[in-house]
Amino acid sequence: MELHPPKDLVNADLAIARYGDDGERWLSAMWQGDALADAVVNDDFVGSSATEAVRTALEHGIDAVDHAPESLRALFAFLDDEPDWVDHTRLDRAADALIRHTASLGIVLAAASLLRGAENTIAGKPLVQTGRYVSMPAIRSVEVGEWLRQVISPGGMRRDGAGFAYTVRVRIIHAHVRRGLSRSGTWDEAAWGVPIPQPFMAFTMAEFGHIALDAMHRLGVRFSDADLDAIYHLWRYVGHVIGMTLDLNPVDEADHVRIEELYRLTSPGPDDNDREFVVALTDDYLIPELANALPGPPAARSVISTRLVHGLQRVFLGDDAADALGVPNTRLKHVIRATEPLMVGFGRVRMRIGGGPQQVSQRGYRIRDEEMTRMRAAYGVTHELVDNAPGEHEIAATRASVH
């Protein structure tokens, strides 16, 4: 059967020539969403809604949902059947390892992972069309941070864990967005594929996985092989719960790297919407957050944090990608690169004086929770995810997404 990828993707022939079956799967899956979740949001619910029914089933089980349609039963049959390969000891180890470096993780997710995602204009179009791309980067960052807080916690991804529940809620949010955009009359499926397709879901796992880990490495963070194995295991299970198909859900570092390469290879590049997003994220969120953590007068903190953020973005992205996204150049990037060995040494000292890995992890969870409380207050965020944000009704108005 002849393969017809979305028209706006580039280098389709090269993707197949270079990656073979993996390239073909990547291109064909641009037409594939999440059959189980999409069926739920397109179904009828008696005296309830898809969002309410999912939350009831998460908390009390599927039998607690009155008149549960077959689509919901099918979704929860999948969710309640935990794969044999899941190892909760490794999931907890991943949480402990990541939380020891909670400050670095927060920086790289915003300054590296989100900007890597912005290199592909097709991936950003659901956020553009729902009005959440440029208008509220800080609020979106808090929403993603709240989801991460639940996922990166001991027991968070158990069936009764908050991370599991939040991930299923994100899955349903994505399905609502697909339905809303498909019905909007403004989505060009022939050019872009389906909204939030499987390949871009896979890339999101890479954003939280290898892309973040590579950027943290540049900041001097060093994980053991066992910690890295656990971290990739965590994102594999998150991918499973969030609706990734078996053939695209990344298992290990090699899968993450291949996904990143296919994402960049087939991307038409960023457009003005992506560059506006980078400016908004940087100016409205990253720079103020970093300035808040620095000592000294406000004016000096603002200047230093601006140059430091731009330098970090240049280091994480490389100059070509940074130029394409309009990130200002700064000589501070050379200083940041040169300090990596010093940061490695600082990390080892920090671990010793902090009482060892277990004590540093416990402190990391506490600091993370305190920071989330501060940020929620600073940006006026009273909801958890966009599915219960003030003014959002069933996400049907297509003003919803969590990246």
Side-chain angles (χ1 to χ4, degrees):
M1 185 174 66
E2 188 176 357
L3 182 64
H4 295 285
K7 292 186 296 184
D8 283 4
L9 257 65
V10 303
N11 297 321
D13 291 342
L14 183 56
I16 295 172
R18 188 175 293 175
Y19 295 96
D21 291 344
D22 289 323
E24 288 193 12
R25 274 192 292 270
W26 180 269
L27 297 169
S28 63
M30 287 295 297
W31 306 108
Q32 184 177 358
D34 175 358
L36 286 174
D38 292 342
V40 170
V41 301
N42 283 293
D43 215 332
D44 295 320
F45 287 81
V46 178
S48 181
S49 68
T51 298
E52 293 169 351
V54 165
R55 295 186 72 167
T56 297
L58 282 168
E59 187 172 352
H60 302 293
I62 187 64
D63 291 336
V65 180
D66 293 334
H67 310 291
E70 197 56 39
S71 62
L72 189 68
R73 293 190 176 277
L75 174 63
F76 274 84
F78 171 87
L79 292 171
D80 291 338
D81 184 18
E82 183 177 276
D84 292 340
W85 50 261
V86 176
D87 182 344
H88 286 282
T89 299
R90 289 160 75 191
L91 299 183
D92 289 349
R93 178 174 188 143
D96 286 349
L98 288 168
I99 206 65
R100 288 177 206 132
H101 308 281
T102 184
S104 296
L105 180 61
I107 290 171
V108 303
L109 288 176
S113 298
L114 286 179
L115 268 63
R116 281 293 182 203
E119 291 182 71
N120 188 329
T121 185
I122 300 175
K125 289 188 182 297
L127 286 168
V128 172
Q129 293 204 10
T130 56
R132 296 191 108 230
Y133 203 25
V134 174
S135 62
M136 48 184 72
I139 292 176
R140 281 186 55 226
S141 296
V142 174
E143 291 167 351
V144 173
E146 191 60 55
W147 168 66
L148 276 173
R149 168 157 63 164
Q150 309 305 328
V151 169
I152 303 177
S153 292
M157 287 303 295
R158 290 188 178 275
R159 174 58 183 84
D160 60 351
F164 186 100
Y166 273 57
T167 302
V168 176
R169 288 169 61 185
V170 170
R171 182 174 184 171
I172 297 301
I173 290 169
H174 287 169
H176 276 296
V177 173
R178 273 190 293 271
R179 183 186 70 167
L181 290 178
S182 296
R183 295 179 177 183
S184 69
T186 62
W187 185 263
D188 189 347
E189 186 167 305
W192 308 327
V194 301
I196 317 179
Q198 285 286 323
F200 294 167
M201 293 167 65
F203 181 77
T204 299
M205 295 302 100
E207 287 182 291
F208 291 107
H210 178 261
I211 293 174
L213 293 170
D214 180 66
M216 293 172 76
H217 191 88
R218 295 169 187 264
L219 293 180
V221 174
R222 298 293 185 266
F223 291 105
S224 69
D225 289 343
D227 286 343
L228 288 171
D229 169 77
I231 291 166
Y232 285 115
H233 188 70
L234 170 65
W235 294 119
R236 180 188 182 189
Y237 189 43
V238 170
H240 172 84
V241 174
I242 212 167
M244 290 293 311
T245 59
L246 183 63
D247 58 349
L248 272 178
N249 189 23
V251 174
D252 54 22
E253 180 180 356
D255 289 342
H256 282 238
V257 171
R258 184 180 63 254
I259 286 165
E260 294 166 39
E261 291 171 349
L262 280 163
Y263 183 84
R264 289 195 292 269
L265 179 64
T266 58
S267 167
D271 66 6
D272 287 343
N273 287 312
D274 302 296
R275 286 182 279 272
E276 289 174 14
F277 162 70
V278 171
V279 171
L281 177 70
T282 302
D283 293 353
D284 298 345
Y285 176 68
L286 275 171
I287 291 174
E289 281 298 306
L290 185 56
N292 181 67
L294 296 175
R301 286 190 281 122
S302 178
V303 171
I304 294 170
S305 62
T306 298
R307 293 176 181 171
L308 186 54
V309 166
H310 292 154
L312 288 168
Q313 290 170 332
R314 286 265 161 183
V315 169
F316 297 149
L317 297 178
D319 285 329
D320 289 344
D323 287 343
L325 288 171
V327 176
N329 207 347
T330 171
R331 287 177 292 181
L332 192 59
K333 65 187 180 184
H334 303 299
V335 177
I336 295 171
R337 291 185 181 119
T339 59
E340 182 179 327
L342 294 176
M343 296 300 292
V344 173
F346 173 77
R348 291 170 180 158
V349 171
R350 171 177 166 266
M351 201 64 60
R352 284 199 298 269
I353 66 176
Q358 185 174 0
Q359 292 295 324
V360 173
S361 292
Q362 291 176 355
R363 191 175 304 113
Y365 287 119
R366 185 178 69 252
I367 292 172
R368 189 265 311 273
D369 291 346
E370 291 171 352
E371 275 298 291
M372 282 302 305
T373 299
R374 179 194 65 78
M375 288 173 61
R376 292 177 67 85
Y379 297 106
V381 179
T382 59
H383 60 281
E384 299 161 350
L385 300 173
V386 71
D387 61 356
N388 70 339
E392 298 287 356
H393 176 65
E394 193 59 30
I395 334 217
T398 74
R399 285 187 49 80
S401 182
V402 173
H403 188 54

